[in-house]
């Protein structure tokens, strides 16, 4: 599936804030506005750099939003946050493609990274299913009331 991540800028942010999830998902997902505010507020600390991206499909139609938050002085603190696929675009494979694109971005931009983390509300079964199917595993940790998931970029060789 051909999608692209485009930095969210002063030229395209208004389009991004129009993205909506299904009504039953809204209690579990931060709005794009909240995610964009985090870029300035830096709630996780000054060491984190936030990079918001609009997600476009092959027809250049906006279908979602995702943001990375990284502490590039570590090998483990690379996060995907604020992940939204618009309600009208869900169920088409864009979620999986966006996860892959965001992970590829982190892998390319931060070669020292060994894992990518994200969180999901325990009741957000749709998101949790997507993450687990993709290869994220629950760590047993809870951050800000949400379950932490981890994706190992260089998993140990299981045949060794």
């Amino acid at each position: 599936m051909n999608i692209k991540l485009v930095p969210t800028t002063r030229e395209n942010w208004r389009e991004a804030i129009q993205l909506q999830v299904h009504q039953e998902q809204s209690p579990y997902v931060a709005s794009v506005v909240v995610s964009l505010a985090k870029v300035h507020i830096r709630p996780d600390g000054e060491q984190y750099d936030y990079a918001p991206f609009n997600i476009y499909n092959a027809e250049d139609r906006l279908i979602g939003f995702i943001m990375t938050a990284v502490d590039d002085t570590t090998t483990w603190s690379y996060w995907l946050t604020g992940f939204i696929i618009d309600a009208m675009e869900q169920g088409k494979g864009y979620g999986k493609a966006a996860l892959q694109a965001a992970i590829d971005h982190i892998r390319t931009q931060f070669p020292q990274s060994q894992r990518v983390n994200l969180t999901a509300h325990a009741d957000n079964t749709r998101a949790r299913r997507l993450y687990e199917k993709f290869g994220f595993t629950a760590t047993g940790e809870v951050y800000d009331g949400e379950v932490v998931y981890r994706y190992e970029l260089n998993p140990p060789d299981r045949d060794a």
Side-chain angles (χ1 to χ4, degrees):
M1 172 159 297
N2 190 14
I3 60 119
K4 59 186 170 185
L5 302 182
V6 175
T8 307
T9 64
R10 68 176 57 117
E11 287 78 28
N12 64 14
W13 71 273
R14 292 181 199 275
E15 184 182 18
I17 65 172
Q18 301 302 313
L19 294 165
Q20 298 289 319
V21 294
H22 291 287
Q23 186 173 355
E24 67 272 9
Q25 295 170 313
S26 63
Y28 312 129
V29 180
S31 69
V32 173
V33 170
V34 169
S35 292
L36 291 175
K38 288 181 178 183
V39 174
H40 175 70
I41 295 167
R42 302 181 105 149
D44 299 309
E46 290 298 317
Q47 73 275 24
Y48 283 90
D49 288 319
Y50 296 84
F53 296 95
N54 289 3
I55 306 166
Y56 292 91
N57 69 6
E59 293 80 38
D60 284 327
R61 188 175 67 251
L62 179 68
I63 53 101
F65 174 89
I66 196 165
M67 185 163 69
T68 61
V70 303
D71 175 356
D72 67 2
T73 66
T74 72
T75 60
W76 57 270
S77 198
Y78 299 82
W79 295 83
L80 300 181
T81 66
F83 183 32
I84 292 175
I85 298 297
D86 191 72
M88 300 301 292
E89 304 297 342
Q90 290 182 18
K92 300 177 182 178
Y94 291 132
K96 182 179 178 184
L99 285 173
Q100 187 63 62
I103 288 170
D104 290 346
H105 169 78
I106 288 173
R107 184 180 274 137
T108 301
Q109 296 300 310
F110 308 100
Q112 73 276 18
S113 61
Q114 294 180 1
R115 63 180 62 127
V116 176
N117 308 286
L118 55 76
T119 64
H121 191 281
D123 295 334
N124 192 351
T125 55
R126 262 182 123 160
R128 292 180 67 182
R129 241 189 338 264
L130 170 66
Y131 302 147
E132 290 167 5
K133 198 171 177 184
F134 190 86
F136 281 85
T137 56
T139 66
E141 301 168 56
V142 175
Y143 177 77
D144 203 21
E146 296 193 345
V147 178
V148 176
Y149 282 84
R150 180 165 296 137
Y151 183 86
E152 297 291 340
L153 294 174
N154 301 305
D157 187 1
R158 291 181 177 89
D159 296 331

